């Protein structure tokens, strides 16, 4: 590259878009070389040998008044045989050139398409604050290695390392014995060229060769981002080169049979010698099954998975690692380690992936606030928010983050599994046939609903036919929230959570069940289907769950010394389906304008994906968690006070001015005994 201020005839001006980087280069300079010298983000796996096709660029011709240049038709060398061979064999978009083959012969404007950028952006589909920039810890590199020489005796590995250093500028390189065993045949079969899968995590001093192939390896490298939850284990299979998600899949966490929520699993470990070992084995077996299933779905071999990132709550974290979680069940809730962890997949008995695969586990924040919460912080970045934002990751245990660019607080709250349809009489997992949306007419008290698998309401013509396969089988988490909120809005449930009788409400849908009442949402018994009701017990379960969630949010607001928040983000797979209006009628979340309630989808899973695709994000979240202040709900006396107040629907003391702009809740009371109707106090676990 030469100075841009003079224009000797043997130089040409090269301008790259979209970066705008420009410089003058001697005629005959390959475009890839010019890009590298200017620091332009142009990909290459083969090091400019015309093999990998990652360096594709689009030259622009004609007048570029914005850049002050005119590009002639002969600004680059002619299309060559390497490009022709590639295009014939693999195809290439017309107008594209290989940056390592095309040489600069005149002033030229070169566009680098997104797929040719190393640090390409992966566009997030959800309500995304930012895209993921690719900078993975593992990448494929092609190298040509010097042949052995009797007069200068060196090992094949040492010459491979020298080649990697000279051709790719990497530092120290290590290889485990299984790779050394395959090195010599690979080098000779590849005629002294190989492709290696090279890994360097954020804590690693050295690069590590995870795999080796003779010649140029066409196959791709994959990684898994896993959100290991108490109820479900969700995984995204990602291409480590471009960050694309090939498949997303989930399984139930088999530890459920040892206890539905976290504390019951800790209790199981305490009460049963070897219980922790059983739970560790169960989750690891499930993970191997999930790896196989997701690889099959994506039609890849599971051994092409080289990295896994995990996010999980502290109890899942310890059980995954094979650490007895007993200390997490009692104050001061000490973690064995709160730092991030870098391991071999084999250390966790995850055998379905590549034998050399590496694992990164995000750091935990504190004893009850885990790597899942750290992942939400990585994905949603409350520490960069101008607005005071409350982020709620709704699951069996709710994780909450409150803050803005000045300060961020976190806590977890034991909501229990009611929001996921468990502990609800007609509750079920979100699956076809489950009621997910509910509307109750405040005049007639009649209900209509929608089930997963059909867009029709139950009152629409064609609904019966549309649901004939799935049937109407139960109520899922979002359905029960809507049902209870609609019952409250229709005057079927009072502030204390009591369901009125048929006489009190004026509808025969309210039926007596012992000394309490239930509301009939759907009666399928005439056709052999279920009677789906919302019982008094269901309302109590929802009251307990939502009161725990709200009390957690209030504790954080107390600590922050604020009365209101400016924005609420609902995260968690289930958070994507919660209707903000219904959540607020229930008093699950603090009062805020409805357009300030945003769904972030599975933010913890997204955080795992970011850490998988961008190694610098690992340093970032490790530093960020130290700045997040943890509030412990279990030992905070005000938690109980907030909890009792929040048991009312929406709340016994807090007003909801934004909610009352759009909803007027009927002033009904069905408490004829004189005793209070609010839900009981909830014990942790
Ligand atoms: S750099 Fe590999 S084909 Fe150009």
């Amino acid at each position: 590259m030469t100075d841009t201020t003079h224009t000797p005839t043997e130089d040409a001006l090269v301008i790259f878009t979209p970066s705008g980087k420009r410089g003058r280069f001697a005629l005959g300079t390959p475009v890839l070389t010019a890009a590298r010298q200017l620091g332009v983000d142009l990909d290459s796996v083969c090091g400019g040998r015309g093999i990998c096709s990652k360096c594709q660029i689009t030259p622009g011709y004609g007048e570029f008044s914005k850049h002050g240049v005119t590009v002639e038709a002969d600004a680059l060398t002619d299309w060559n045989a390497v490009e022709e061979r590639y295009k014939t064999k693999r195809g290439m978009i017309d107008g594209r050139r290989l940056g390592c083959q095309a040489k600069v012969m005149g002033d030229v404007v070169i566009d680098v398409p997104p797929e040719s950028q190393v640090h390409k952006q992966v566009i997030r589909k959800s309500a995304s604050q930012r895209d993921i920039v690719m900078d993975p810890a593992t990448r494929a590199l092609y190298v040509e290695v010097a042949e052995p020489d009797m007069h200068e005796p060196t090992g094949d590995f040492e010459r491979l390392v020298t080649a990697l250093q000279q051709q790719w500028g990497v530092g120290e390189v290590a290889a485990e014995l299984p790779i050394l065993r395959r090195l010599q045949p690979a080098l000779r079969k590849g005629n002294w060229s190989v492709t290696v899968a090279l890994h360097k995590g954020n804590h690693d001093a050295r690069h590590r060769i995870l795999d080796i192939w003779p010649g140029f390896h066409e196959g791709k490298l994959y990684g898994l981002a896993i959100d290991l939850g108490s109820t479900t284990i969700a995984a995204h299979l990602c291409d480590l080169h471009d960050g694309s998600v090939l498949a997303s899949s989930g399984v139930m966490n088999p530890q459920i049979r040892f206890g539905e929520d976290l504390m019951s699993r800790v209790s199981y470990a305490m009460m049963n010698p070897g219980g922790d070992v059983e739970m560790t084995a169960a989750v690891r077996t499930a993970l191997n099954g999930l790896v196989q299933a997701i690889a099959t779905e994506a039609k890849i071999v599971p051994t092409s998975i080289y990295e896994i990132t995990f996010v999980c709550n502290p109890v899942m974290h310890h059980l995954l690692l094979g650490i007895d979680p007993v200390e997490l069940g009692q104050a001061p809730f000490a973690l064995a380690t709160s730092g991030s962890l870098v391991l071999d997949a084999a250390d966790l008995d995850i055998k379905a992936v590549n034998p050399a695969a590496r694992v990164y586990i995000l750091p935990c924040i504190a004893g009850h606030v885990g790597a899942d919460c750290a992942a939400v912080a990585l994905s949603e970045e409350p520490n960069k928010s101008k607005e005071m934002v409350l982020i709620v990751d709704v699951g069996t245990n709710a994780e909450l983050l409150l803050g803005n660019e000045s300060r961020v607080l976190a806590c977890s709250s034991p909501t229990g599994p009611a929001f996921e349809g468990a502990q609800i009489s007609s509750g079920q997992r979100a699956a076809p046939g489950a009621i997910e949306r509910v509307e109750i007419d405040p005049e007639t008290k009649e209900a209509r609903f929608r089930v997963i698998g059909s867009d029709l309401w139950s009152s629409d013509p064609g609904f019966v036919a549309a649901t004939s396969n799935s049937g109407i089988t139960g109520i899922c988490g979002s359905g029960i929230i809507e049902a209870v909120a609609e019952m409250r809005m229709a005057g079927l449930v009072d502030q204390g959570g009591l369901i009125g009788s048929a006489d009190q409400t004026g509808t025969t849908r309210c039926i007596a069940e012992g000394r309490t009442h239930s509301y009939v949402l759907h009666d399928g018994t005439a056709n052999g289907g279920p009677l789906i009701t919302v019982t008094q017990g269901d309302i109590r379960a929802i009251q307990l769950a939502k009161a725990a969630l709200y009390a957690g949010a209030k504790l954080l607001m107390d600590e922050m010394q604020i009365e209101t928040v400016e924005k609420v983000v609902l995260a968690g797979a289930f958070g994507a389906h919660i209707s903000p209006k219904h959540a607020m009628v229930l008093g699950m979340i603090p009062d805020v304008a409805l357009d300030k309630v945003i769904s972030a989808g599975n933010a913890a899973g997204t955080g795992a994906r970011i850490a998988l695709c961008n190694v610098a994000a690992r340093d970032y979240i490790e530093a960020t968690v130290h700045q997040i202040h943890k509030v412990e709900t279990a030992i905070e006396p005000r938690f109980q006070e907030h909890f009792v107040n929040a048991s009312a629907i929406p709340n016994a003391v807090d007003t909801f001015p934004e909610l009352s702009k759009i909803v007027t809740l009927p002033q009904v009371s069905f408490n004829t005994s004189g005793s209070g109707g609010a839900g009981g106090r909830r014990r942790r676990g």
Side-chain angles (χ1 to χ4, degrees):
M1 182 177 40
T2 57
D3 187 83
T4 58
T5 54
H6 72 290
T7 52
T9 50
E10 68 276 27
D11 281 359
L13 177 64
V14 182
I15 301 169
F16 285 94
T17 59
S19 65
K21 290 184 175 165
R22 55 168 62 201
R24 299 203 73 90
F25 292 88
L27 301 188
T29 306
V31 173
L32 178 65
T33 306
R36 284 188 168 166
Q37 291 187 17
L38 288 173
V40 170
D41 196 16
L42 179 57
D43 202 358
S44 162
V45 170
C46 72
R49 295 184 178 85
I51 306 173
C52 71
S53 83
K54 302 288 188 213
C55 62
Q56 293 185 30
I57 47 102
T58 310
Y61 296 100
E63 181 89 24
F64 287 84
S65 50
K66 183 175 150 206
H67 300 301
V69 291
T70 302
V71 182
E72 306 293 344
D74 58 358
L76 295 179
T77 48
D78 288 344
W79 180 255
N80 74 11
V82 173
E83 292 171 299
E84 181 61 29
R85 191 179 64 226
Y86 185 83
K87 185 164 184 168
T88 316
K89 260 175 80 180
R90 296 287 160 78
M92 187 153 61
I93 295 172
D94 284 345
R96 291 264 179 96
R97 301 286 307 266
L98 291 181
C100 62
Q101 301 302 310
K103 298 188 177 86
V104 176
M105 298 305 287
D107 293 353
V108 65
V109 177
I110 304 273
D111 185 58
V112 180
E115 61 271 28
S116 297
Q117 296 168 11
V118 185
H119 303 288
K120 50 186 79 60
Q121 299 216 325
V122 184
I123 310 296
R124 285 171 56 184
K125 284 191 210 129
S126 61
S128 84
Q129 279 75 44
R130 66 192 173 103
D131 300 325
I132 302 171
V133 176
M134 289 307 294
D135 184 14
T138 307
R139 53 196 180 128
L141 297 177
Y142 169 87
V143 274
E144 292 179 354
V145 180
E147 293 186 34
D149 181 344
M150 286 232 288
H151 304 294
E152 282 181 54
T154 52
D156 282 353
F157 177 68
E158 286 68 29
R159 271 177 281 107
L160 168 63
V161 171
T162 303
L164 280 166
Q165 289 170 339
Q166 288 175 346
Q167 292 165 39
W168 291 103
V170 303
E172 277 191 70
V173 179
E176 300 289 330
L177 188 53
I179 296 296
L180 292 179
R181 287 194 186 111
R182 291 166 47 207
L183 170 66
Q184 294 199 308
L187 279 170
R188 283 149 185 86
K189 190 170 172 201
N191 197 22
W192 302 99
S193 71
V194 286
T195 306
V196 295
L198 199 68
H199 172 89
K200 187 169 185 289
N202 60 325
H203 294 293
D204 297 335
R206 299 191 293 183
H207 289 81
R208 184 191 292 217
I209 298 176
L210 302 184
D211 213 339
I212 186 164
W213 301 269
F216 180 72
H217 178 63
E218 299 277 355
K220 295 189 171 193
L221 315 184
Y222 300 100
L224 276 175
I226 299 184
D227 177 9
L228 172 53
S230 346
T231 308
T232 52
I233 310 173
H236 297 300
L237 178 72
C238 302
D239 181 324
L240 286 178
H241 187 76
D242 63 18
S244 57
V245 178
L246 278 85
S248 297
S249 194
V251 291
M252 295 298 283
N253 188 331
Q255 291 173 345
I256 287 173
R257 68 174 184 269
F258 304 103
E260 276 199 344
D261 57 30
L262 295 177
M263 285 309 138
S264 51
R265 284 182 220 169
V266 175
S267 304
Y268 184 85
M270 285 170 157
M271 312 296 285
N272 300 278
D276 58 317
V277 179
E278 274 181 89
M279 288 188 278
T280 296
V283 75
R284 291 178 175 183
T285 302
L287 285 168
N288 277 302
L290 179 58
V291 170
Q292 293 283 7
I294 202 166
T296 304
E297 188 186 333
K299 299 191 176 65
I300 65 154
V301 287
T303 49
S304 57
I305 297 170
Y306 291 91
E307 275 200 86
I308 307 176
T309 52
F310 277 103
V311 302
C312 41
N313 63 56
V315 176
M316 295 301 100
H317 176 270
H318 279 38
L319 287 173
L320 169 67
L321 291 167
I323 299 171
D324 190 338
V326 59
E327 293 302 328
L328 299 172
Q330 57 207 15
F333 312 108
L335 290 154
T337 174
S338 61
S340 65
L341 288 166
V342 180
L343 306 160
D344 286 324
D347 294 338
L348 302 177
D349 292 333
I350 304 175
K351 301 197 172 92
V353 295
N354 188 280
R358 302 285 283 159
V359 167
Y360 176 78
I361 304 178
L362 273 76
C364 291
I365 297 176
H368 277 138
V369 184
D372 47 358
C373 196
V376 172
L378 178 58
S379 168
E380 300 306 311
E381 297 192 307
N383 52 318
K384 292 189 178 167
S385 170
K386 298 240 178 283
E387 294 173 300
M388 181 57 71
V389 58
L390 174 72
I391 303 170
V392 182
D393 189 358
V394 187
T396 307
N397 222 46
E399 272 75 40
L400 297 104
L401 288 155
L402 173 71
N404 58 16
E405 55 193 2
S406 326
R407 191 173 179 223
V408 177
L409 308 174
C411 75
S412 75
S413 203
T415 46
F419 287 151
E420 299 184 64
Q423 295 175 350
I424 300 295
S425 60
S426 294
Q428 68 157 87
R429 272 184 353 109
I435 293 174
E436 60 169 347
R437 304 285 316 276
V438 177
E439 278 182 11
I440 299 176
D441 186 314
E443 298 299 323
T444 64
K445 320 290 185 197
E446 288 297 301
R448 65 176 198 151
F449 54 83
R450 268 171 41 182
V451 299
I452 295 175
S454 169
D455 287 337
L456 297 176
W457 285 92
S458 57
S459 54
D460 290 336
F463 175 79
V464 174
T467 55
S468 60
N469 279 344
S470 68
I472 300 158
T473 48
I475 315 176
C476 70
S478 61
I480 191 70
I481 286 176
E482 293 206 3
V484 178
E486 288 281 325
M487 287 169 72
R488 178 78 185 91
M489 288 191 283
L492 299 167
V493 163
D494 67 13
Q495 191 196 29
L498 276 177
I499 303 177
S501 65
D503 282 349
Q504 288 168 318
T505 59
T507 174
T508 53
R509 278 183 177 257
C510 286
I511 56 172
E513 272 197 59
R515 293 166 53 207
T516 62
H517 300 96
S518 296
Y519 177 77
V520 177
L521 203 51
H522 171 68
D523 185 355
T525 52
N527 300 315
L531 176 70
I532 299 177
T533 60
V534 179
T535 67
Q536 189 61 61
D538 296 340
I539 305 256
R540 291 288 179 246
I542 289 297
Q543 281 177 290
L544 294 176
K546 72 97 179 176
L549 185 59
Y550 189 81
K554 286 288 285 187
L555 264 195
L556 295 184
M557 290 163 73
D558 287 350
E559 176 71 24
M560 196 67 85
Q561 299 183 333
I562 55 171
E563 296 289 322
T564 54
V565 300
E566 291 167 303
K567 184 172 153 189
V568 174
V569 175
L570 297 173
F574 166 59
H577 303 290
I578 298 178
S579 137
K581 181 173 92 176
H582 293 99
M584 212 172 295
V585 168
L586 276 188
M588 278 175 73
I589 52 175
D591 185 62
V592 67
L594 274 192
D595 62 358
K596 286 291 187 180
V597 184
I598 292 162
S599 169
N602 183 1
T606 302
R609 246 176 80 206
I610 295 171
L612 180 69
C613 294
N614 185 309
V615 71
R618 302 177 188 183
D619 286 327
Y620 169 78
I621 192 57
E622 287 166 21
T624 303
V625 292
H626 289 300
Q627 292 153 13
I628 297 177
H629 177 72
K630 163 74 196 309
V631 175
E632 180 52 68
T633 51
I635 54 165
E636 181 58 59
R638 290 208 71 189
F639 184 83
Q640 287 298 339
E641 187 188 327
H642 288 315
F643 180 83
V644 171
N645 290 335
S647 298
I649 304 174
N651 197 287
V653 293
D654 289 350
T655 56
F656 282 68
E658 290 291 341
L659 177 66
S660 53
K661 286 182 192 165
I662 48 165
V663 174
T664 305
L665 296 176
Q667 296 291 325
V668 290
S669 173
F670 304 127
N671 182 8
T672 51
S673 69
S675 64
R681 291 160 80 92
R682 180 181 181 81
R683 280 187 304 114
R684 254 203 119 86

